[in-house]
Amino acid sequence: MKPSLHDKLIQLSDRLEELNQLLSAEDSTRDMDNYRKLTREHAEIDAVVSLFHQYQQVERDIATAKDMLSDPEMKAFAELELDENQTKLNTLALDLQKLLLPKDANDDRNIFLEIRAGTGGDESALFAGDLFRMYSRYAERQGWKVEVVSHSEGEVGGFKEIIAQVIGSGAYSKLKFESGGHRVQRVPDTETQGRIHTSACTVAVLPEADEVSDVVLNPAELRIDTYRASGAGGQHINKTDSAVRITHLPTGIVVECQDDRSQHRNKAQALSVLAARIKDQQLRAQHDKEAATRKSLIGSGDRSERIRTYNFPQGRITDHRINLTLYKIDAIMDGDLEELTQALSSQYQADQLAALGEQAA
């Protein structure tokens, strides 16, 4: 283990002892905000320190085994103990490095999921509908809630565009690598000669912004227009200017929301989406700056970047960023994304560890 990493773990061990004393003090709950802050910190480092104590115990076991090497009767046993404990030590060291990797502050946030039809006309809109169903089923498996913010239906089904809020712990951490271009190869239902068509959609996964601290929306920089919603909705929809369009003048970002009958709720939802898009723009600018120094193995996350191909005739899905091909397209389209999300997360983690090694070198 690198000395810098070892020193960091010693500091965390000392801090955990300090937190134990602070939390067990008689007046610890006098300031509940501070108490909650200390409790969160304790929960964050307790698992790390516990693993570090296991690491230290294995180090002691290795030292004991080395002392036994000089005893002819114990030598064979000691060599076996050394091999087993060295393997265990290496595994623990890697696990500790993973736990100490910088945390993404957005990982626990809810998200806005935006899916837009691209090249391919009606087939692209149908595929956008399939992607929305895929993510909705995945969210259902995770116990998350999906609320449609706005949508524009395709001529023969699916969506030209759909924006939904996904509410659930860890939503961003699980789906943040889904942003990019998704390509589909299949025979459309409207194709009479059985020819395979290629269409595409873009997906954007935006962490929900904290209204207070993340993005400050200056009312003077917003143009808010109201208009009558279009589409299904009965007589009410034709009589009330309930739909809301908000334009953020500095960036030119435009958000529309008309899915609710209440103008107030449409405005609140549109402001949430706007804040998330501005936050996403800021994050991408920051990531672009970081990418200038080192290339991410997962990809740039650029909306135009083709990240995945769904080939229905061959029953396969290929993620081009990590060269992963899975022959389980039906299960994946039904929301079984765990193998994909885990593989992307593991590759990103490996990239972080490699960068950590370069910094320490």
Side-chain angles (χ1 to χ4, degrees), residues 98 138 173-174 177-178 297-299 308 317-326 328 332 336-351:
K98 290 178 181 178
Y138 179 67
S173 69
K174 291 276 190 177
F177 300 121
E178 293 302 299
L297 294 177
I298 293 301
R308 193 175 296 149
I317 286 183
T318 299
D319 196 289
H320 304 290
R321 296 164 294 179
I322 54 175
N323 296 319
L324 174 67
T325 296
L326 300 174
K328 47 186 288 188
I332 289 173
D336 184 9
L337 296 176
E338 202 61 33
E339 191 171 354
L340 269 172
T341 58
Q342 281 293 328
L344 287 161
S345 181
S346 295
Q347 184 63 72
Y348 178 67
Q349 206 169 59
D351 182 30

Side-chain angles (χ1 to χ4, degrees), residues 209-216:
D210 186 318
E211 292 179 13
V212 177
S213 62
D214 281 1
V215 176
V216 178

Side-chain angles (χ1 to χ4, degrees), residues 203-248:
V203 173
V205 176
L206 319 178
E208 186 179 31
D210 186 318
E211 292 179 13
V212 177
S213 62
D214 281 1
V215 176
V216 178
L217 295 176
N218 183 350
E221 297 177 342
L222 303 177
R223 186 174 73 237
I224 301 177
D225 303 307
T226 58
Y227 58 98
R228 292 181 184 179
S230 59
Q235 293 181 345
H236 165 90
I237 215 158
N238 298 318
K239 294 181 178 180
T240 309
D241 289 345
S242 60
V244 176
R245 180 188 298 111
I246 301 178
T247 304
H248 186 241

Side-chain angles (χ1 to χ4, degrees), residues 23-41:
L23 290 170
S24 61
E26 289 184 11
D27 61 347
S28 62
T29 56
R30 183 176 298 171
D31 182 344
M32 285 306 296
D33 286 339
N34 186 58
Y35 180 78
R36 282 190 287 268
K37 180 182 176 183
L38 293 176
T39 302
R40 282 196 299 270
E41 185 184 356

Side-chain angles (χ1 to χ4, degrees), residues 28-89:
S28 62
T29 56
R30 183 176 298 171
D31 182 344
M32 285 306 296
D33 286 339
N34 186 58
Y35 180 78
R36 282 190 287 268
K37 180 182 176 183
L38 293 176
T39 302
R40 282 196 299 270
E41 185 184 356
H42 186 282
E44 286 173 2
I45 67 176
D46 184 50
V48 181
V49 173
S50 177
L51 201 63
F52 180 50
H53 288 164
Q54 292 180 45
Y55 181 90
Q56 289 177 312
Q57 181 57 54
V58 174
E59 280 188 317
R60 289 192 288 270
D61 292 342
I62 288 175
T64 301
K66 285 180 177 178
D67 289 340
M68 290 191 295
L69 286 174
S70 58
D71 186 341
E73 295 182 3
M74 300 295 294
K75 185 176 181 180
F77 173 76
E79 288 175 343
L80 184 62
E81 281 286 295
L82 276 173
D83 286 343
E84 290 180 356
N85 282 312
Q86 191 58 56
T87 300
K88 193 183 296 184
L89 194 72

